[in-house]
Amino acid sequence: MQTCFFALSGVLPHDESIHQIKKAIEKTYSKKGRKIIDQNFRAVDMTLENLFEVHIPLHTSASISKERKIPSFAPEFVRNVTQMMIAGNGDEIPVSALPIDGEYPSGTTQWEKRNISDRIAVWESDLCIQCGNCSFVCPHSVIRSKFYHKDYLDDAPPSFKSVYINARGFPETKYTLQVYLEDCTGCNLCYEVCPATDPLDRLRKAIHLDEKESRLEGERKNIQYFELLPHNDRPTVNYSTVHGVQFLQPLFEFSGACAGCGETPYIKVLTQLFGDRLLVANATGCSSIYGGNLPTTPWTKNAAGKGPAWSNSLFEDNAEFGLGMRLTADKQVSMAHQLLKKLEPHLGESIVQNLIESSQEKESEIAEQRHRVSQLKAILQRMDSGDAKHLLSIADQLVKRSVWLIGGDGWAYDIGSGGLDHALASGRNINVLVLDTEVYSNTGGQMSKATPTAATAKFAAAGKRVGKKDLAMQAISYGNVYVAQVAMGANPQQTLLAMREAEAYNGPSLILAYSHCIAHGIDMEKGLDQQNKAVMSGYWPLIRYNPVLRKNNKNPFVLDSPKPVIPFKSYAYNELRYKVLTQTQPDDAERLIQLAQEIVDLRWKTYVEMAGYGPNSFQPVL
Ligand SMILES: Cc1ncc(C[n+]2csc(CCOP(=O)(O)OP(=O)(O)O)c2C)c(N)n1
Ligand code: SF4
Ligand code: SF4
Ligand code: SF4
């Protein structure tokens, strides 16, 4: 671009400007060797050789228009305010149109149809085996599934797709997988994980990318119809399988994260599993930006109008912030218990006992507790005492809360590490989800203590020379912290299990989630495949350390991934962050990749021993 600018603008005489550009190249790359300098010279020369004028037509000939119309049934605020901001006319919004108390509606990404890809996912119902893999990994919550009685189809649009559900004992139940095509980014991850291939055409899978334009009108109607079908009742869904989770409504949808982002699917699954019981403290980073930016917000609500409570404090204090959420929720529950006991003569012994003592482990038990709480609230509304009013204000806390502290590696490994350690050491029932992209992604890919040996990053242009911090081992050393390392591209079922175990554990939990990212310099379509290679090389072992097992005299450390079958190199050199060093500093690259392999081998050996497969099997410290 610089060459083009000087060649066209005439700011300096032509030869003089090219001479200066080459001089700057020599200076910048002198340490990287003659080869790199010559390559840059060639880039300048070829730019000049290929510079040609582009004739801009007087009229546009494209027939595709980028419609940005918000439907008339959208909420008033969205039509009056959000729409103006989406259109880039935010400056024209009068102050009077904004809520005086700062309240801002959530769940608004559903109205911002970004239409960023003209190739979108298409479902082939005849091939689909209904496994749910595609919906599990979709970073943008674009793929939704529902099952319903076949009579619901009586008024369905002609192009609405459905098949009988693939489950015994439900002969009248139909299944639909609906793609929200205007929100699809064309990232292709769904195609990559779909196991159902047409035997007559190996490239045709049950979900694949195809052109959007001709489908737009029909699918808009189908989506509207799909929305009218009831969401599947949470207690009827099997939470323990990827297949089951597809029927749970995500409460995080259509975020503006990069197409194919490796972080967002983990957050989406969390919202599916724990729904409106979630309290989320979000560290600053990509997840706070795509999670809470304007004009629209991806955190949304269920049919009852309830959703996760989400907030972003600072980068450096997120763990303490989330711990505060836990302490507050616990305090409110203990106050509610005290008030229940005080009001027992008016409320009745069995109501109070059930509200305080009933188990809330299963979703069906949580549904029962919700029912009890709404009965309690109805009674309290009829009472006139101060205690009744106080209890009414905190009664919702009697339904178990699920507190999650979410952030990237820059937060967890580096800037927020002291606070995270403090929160883990508190023994409180908090859950930490680290979206590990191994760099500070949101600010352009700076090195963190999660950056692996031999990888380049900003501040590590010559390759990281030391090892990645083993945060899992640090947390395990406490003995009472649930710890898991997951990678959904390698084993989505293990990811699901870890999230459920972490939440069920009545103490601190930490999940480290491998998150592929544009900062890795990969073909993002292959992000999940890279996750799998990370596991297959032994670089990212899948582990679970569950202190509950120790109480049952079992080894709490479980190694979920198989023995490495490929060298670290075969995983790493698919990524530019590693590969670039082989061009710029080949000797260093060779040395560092060997060092990285040694670290992988050592860590694997340690984990194997901890899992009890080795000669000195792991003896947990009590
Ligand atoms: C104390 C402080 N330092 C720096 C920043 C600037 N900052 C915002 S996001 C971010 C990077 C976050 O990286 P990470 O935690 O790895 O999350 P990711 O973006 O990778 O998801 C930085 C450095 C900040 N907000 N606060
Ligand atoms: S292409 Fe990407 S965004 Fe679109 S449905 Fe598939 S996984 Fe989701
Ligand atoms: S991954 Fe393929 S087979 Fe599985 S539900 Fe999706 S479309 Fe169907
Ligand atoms: S920079 Fe990386 S982590 Fe951030 S949104 Fe993009 S892909 Fe996701």
Side-chain angles (χ1 to χ4, degrees):
M1 291 304 292
Q2 191 187 42
T3 307
C4 295
F5 172 78
F6 283 105
L8 294 173
S9 67
V11 172
L12 287 176
H14 180 275
D15 292 349
E16 167 68 8
S17 64
I18 301 304
H19 173 70
Q20 290 298 342
I21 289 173
K22 290 193 172 172
K23 215 168 131 188
I25 288 172
E26 288 229 59
K27 193 172 164 211
T28 310
Y29 298 114
S30 61
K31 284 199 190 122
K32 300 205 178 219
R34 195 66 235 168
K35 201 172 154 200
I36 298 291
I37 293 171
D38 287 344
Q39 278 172 347
N40 276 276
F41 281 3
R42 222 166 98 72
V44 171
D45 295 339
M46 285 181 72
T47 301
L48 292 171
E49 282 161 27
N50 290 287
L51 196 61
F52 62 90
E53 190 176 349
V54 177
H55 293 283
I56 301 168
L58 287 176
H59 306 286
T60 45
S61 56
S63 57
I64 301 170
S65 66
K66 228 180 166 211
E67 228 181 307
R68 284 187 169 249
K69 207 160 177 285
I70 286 187
S72 56
F73 49 84
E76 197 187 336
F77 183 86
V78 172
R79 279 184 284 117
N80 294 343
V81 179
T82 317
Q83 171 149 255
M84 294 273 281
M85 291 165 94
I86 292 173
N89 299 326
D91 283 351
E92 291 166 28
I93 300 170
V95 173
S96 57
L98 294 164
I100 50 169
D101 58 359
E103 185 187 324
Y104 207 84
S106 58
T108 43
T109 45
Q110 62 180 300
W111 307 112
E112 185 185 18
K113 297 299 175 201
R114 295 191 300 142
N115 281 301
I116 61 169
S117 177
D118 50 14
R119 286 177 63 75
I120 44 91
V122 175
W123 181 48
E124 305 292 355
S125 54
D126 58 320
L127 291 177
C128 179
I129 58 166
Q130 304 172 16
C131 64
N133 284 1
C134 55
S135 111
F136 199 80
V137 304
C138 175
H140 308 280
S141 315
V142 163
I143 301 173
R144 311 293 175 97
S145 310
K146 283 180 184 168
F147 60 85
Y148 50 89
H149 192 271
K150 65 182 172 53
D151 288 354
Y152 275 106
L153 290 173
D154 290 350
D155 307 320
S159 61
F160 190 76
K161 289 185 192 168
S162 70
V163 284
Y164 279 101
I165 196 153
N166 200 352
R168 280 203 202 125
F170 297 92
E172 301 193 327
T173 305
K174 287 270 192 162
Y175 168 92
T176 293
L177 183 150
Q178 183 64 52
V179 174
Y180 283 51
L181 77 172
E182 293 188 88
D183 303 289
C184 175
T185 64
C187 73
N188 214 28
L189 292 188
C190 51
Y191 175 82
E192 290 288 325
V193 295
C194 179
T197 310
D198 185 344
L200 301 174
D201 174 2
R202 305 304 296 176
L203 287 179
R204 185 173 166 256
K205 284 190 176 183
I207 200 155
H208 58 93
L209 292 199
D210 213 333
E211 63 86 34
K212 177 168 73 184
E213 200 57 21
S214 67
R215 293 178 166 88
L216 204 50
E217 276 314 306
E219 285 303 313
R220 276 186 185 144
K221 290 196 185 98
N222 291 341
I223 292 166
Q224 265 184 33
Y225 194 79
F226 183 79
E227 297 248 303
L228 294 175
L229 298 172
H231 286 289
N232 296 124
D233 212 11
R234 292 180 66 84
T236 64
V237 168
N238 183 355
Y239 282 60
S240 65
T241 62
V242 169
H243 168 262
V245 170
Q246 67 180 312
F247 300 113
L248 295 168
Q249 184 188 3
L251 297 177
F252 175 85
E253 60 184 12
F254 317 139
S255 78
C258 304
C261 171
E263 291 190 350
T264 48
Y266 294 109
I267 301 178
K268 179 199 61 185
V269 173
L270 266 197
T271 69
Q272 287 176 293
L273 293 176
F274 311 120
D276 62 2
R277 296 189 299 111
L278 277 172
L279 287 182
V280 179
N282 207 138
T284 307
C286 278
S287 51
S288 73
I289 304 305
Y290 57 63
N293 60 348
L294 288 180
T296 56
T297 312
W299 291 87
T300 190
K301 293 171 274 194
N302 58 23
K306 295 184 176 177
W310 178 95
S311 193
N312 161 233
S313 176
L314 299 173
F315 194 24
E316 60 272 32
D317 73 355
N318 187 56
E320 298 91 319
F321 184 53
L323 178 59
M325 287 184 178
R326 175 77 270 167
L327 298 180
T328 309
D330 288 350
K331 186 69 196 163
Q332 286 179 328
V333 171
S334 88
M335 277 159 65
H337 286 181
Q338 277 171 20
L339 287 163
L340 279 170
K341 286 195 182 127
K342 206 168 163 190
L343 293 169
E344 194 174 296
H346 307 281
L347 298 170
E349 194 182 332
S350 71
I351 292 185
V352 169
Q353 195 180 358
N354 286 339
L355 274 163
I356 294 178
E357 289 171 18
S358 295
S359 159
Q360 295 188 59
E361 299 304 316
K362 298 189 200 128
E363 197 65 27
S364 55
E365 293 169 343
I366 286 169
E368 284 162 17
Q369 181 77 347
R370 283 183 201 275
H371 184 62
R372 280 188 286 269
V373 169
S374 62
Q375 282 179 327
L376 170 72
K377 284 164 79 175
I379 299 171
L380 293 172
Q381 260 151 5
R382 293 195 296 272
M383 291 170 66
D384 198 23
S385 72
D387 284 340
K389 284 202 177 77
H390 188 186
L391 181 54
L392 187 60
S393 73
I394 53 174
D396 284 329
Q397 296 292 338
L398 291 164
V399 176
K400 191 174 137 190
R401 291 283 178 260
S402 184
V403 179
W404 286 81
L405 288 46
I406 299 180
D409 48 282
W411 161 64
Y413 285 70
D414 277 12
I415 292 185
S417 83
L420 177 62
D421 184 51
H422 174 71
L424 290 177
S426 72
R428 295 284 185 155
N429 188 3
I430 50 156
N431 306 286
V432 183
L433 174 64
V434 180
L435 303 160
D436 194 349
T437 58
E438 307 193 316
V439 278
Y440 290 64
S441 297
N442 191 243
T443 39
Q446 292 79 14
M447 172 181 69
S448 78
K449 289 183 201 84
T451 306
T453 317
T456 60
K458 288 188 180 146
F459 304 134
K464 175 99 175 278
R465 269 131 214 271
V466 293
K468 176 184 174 117
K469 171 158 96 178
D470 195 339
L471 189 55
M473 286 289 261
Q474 281 192 344
I476 286 171
S477 72
Y478 277 114
N480 68 335
V481 178
Y482 176 94
V483 182
Q485 196 157 269
V486 304
M488 72 160 60
N491 188 340
Q493 199 58 44
Q494 191 255 2
T495 301
L496 183 57
L497 180 63
M499 283 183 173
R500 295 180 67 232
E501 283 184 347
E503 211 266 346
Y505 178 59
N506 189 14
S509 304
L510 172 73
I511 298 181
L512 303 170
Y514 186 109
S515 306
H516 62 259
C517 172
I518 54 164
H520 296 175
I522 53 167
D523 174 357
M524 286 293 274
E525 287 188 12
K526 300 288 176 203
L528 296 167
D529 192 40
Q530 269 306 96
Q531 293 197 12
N532 192 36
K533 287 199 168 76
V535 172
M536 288 304 146
S537 66
Y539 167 66
W540 189 271
L542 303 180
I543 58 168
R544 282 174 299 125
Y545 177 90
N546 191 349
V548 172
L549 293 177
R550 206 180 49 198
K551 288 194 190 125
N552 304 333
N553 275 334
K554 290 189 180 148
N555 185 347
F557 187 90
V558 181
L559 185 51
D560 286 319
S561 47
K563 207 171 158 216
V565 288
I566 56 170
F568 176 70
K569 243 185 196 177
S570 306
Y571 148 70
Y573 283 162
N574 292 322
E575 305 195 349
L576 219 50
R577 60 176 167 155
Y578 292 99
K579 187 95 185 153
V580 72
L581 212 58
T582 64
Q583 307 290 319
T584 54
Q585 299 176 46
D587 292 347
D588 272 0
E590 188 52 35
R591 193 176 56 75
L592 286 173
I593 208 83
Q594 272 175 25
L595 178 63
Q597 181 68 59
E598 281 165 28
I599 292 172
V600 167
D601 294 345
L602 185 64
R603 196 167 282 184
W604 178 260
K605 196 165 159 259
T606 313
Y607 283 11
V608 164
E609 288 196 5
M610 286 169 69
Y613 307 143
N616 312 311
S617 68
F618 178 54
Q619 297 295 321
V621 185
L622 290 179

